Amino acid sequence: MFCNHCGGEVQPNQRFCSSCGKAAVTPAAPVLAGPYVSASAGRVARHLKMLAVFWIALSALNLLKAGGRLVGARVIGAWGRGWFDDAGWGFPAGEILPAILSTMGVLSLVLAAIGFVVGFALMERRPWGRTMAIVVAIIALLNPILGTVLGIYTLWVLLPGDAEVEYGKISR
């Protein structure tokens, strides 16, 4: 027999688990390190954890991109003002480029935050996570290469009608 709480082995005559001390001990399969997905599980259950990890990874990349853009905006702003303020031909590095890079950096920061929320919602199987993931996947389709691929994968896993029913069964 195995403990329902920690998965430790329990002798048939024991009322309490020797590993965790919990009282509710019934015959059960051992607890695995990660969430167990049987071979007969549906497509959503098989792909959900991978999808969540991909969203978290893309969000980490967006976070790095946001930091680079914000730092680049500061550097170009200082560089442009220092070198070109006295130029009569109006080089835009001092005003326009930092504003554009800052806006792009803040947008990347917002996308990273939303992606982290989607990744953790899917990982924790929140009921609202599927809807939010579909909305963010549609937006991610506009992000070249990685965003497009992840958006297509997300929509393939979560958009069909049977995926809604299956996600409802496995969500908390």
Side-chain angles (χ1 to χ4, degrees):
M1 291 191 332
F2 297 95
C3 175
N4 286 344
H5 299 284
C6 71
E9 191 169 350
V10 179
Q11 299 301 321
N13 59 354
Q14 283 183 312
R15 293 180 46 136
F16 297 96
C17 175
S18 58
S19 299
C20 68
K22 300 285 183 178
V25 177
T26 59
V31 175
L32 301 175
Y36 177 71
V37 179
S38 69
S40 64
R43 181 178 48 155
V44 175
R46 286 192 315 265
H47 292 274
L48 197 60
K49 185 174 181 180
M50 183 68 70
L51 195 60
V53 169
F54 283 158
W55 274 108
I56 292 170
L58 181 66
S59 298
L61 289 174
N62 279 336
L63 193 62
L64 289 173
K65 187 173 18 174
R69 287 176 175 170
L70 292 173
V71 168
R74 300 274 300 184
V75 169
I76 288 177
W79 175 71
R81 281 188 294 278
W83 284 10
F84 296 106
D85 269 352
D86 58 345
W89 49 278
F91 184 70
E95 294 96 25
I96 295 172
L97 289 179
I100 291 172
L101 279 176
S102 294
T103 303
M104 290 171 58
V106 169
L107 183 63
S108 293
L109 197 61
V110 168
L111 289 174
I114 291 171
F116 279 125
V117 170
V118 166
F120 287 114
L122 292 176
M123 187 79 72
E124 294 291 320
R125 297 185 182 118
R126 300 290 181 204
W128 49 269
R130 177 184 173 269
T131 305
M132 186 173 182
I134 290 171
V135 170
V136 175
I138 293 170
I139 295 169
L141 290 172
L142 302 174
N143 188 0
I145 311 296
L146 293 178
T148 303
V149 171
L150 185 56
I152 291 170
Y153 181 48
T154 301
L155 294 175
W156 177 77
V157 172
L158 296 176
L159 195 57
D162 59 336
E164 179 180 9
V165 174
E166 184 182 347
Y167 190 85
K169 289 179 183 177
I170 62 174
S171 66
R172 295 178 188 177

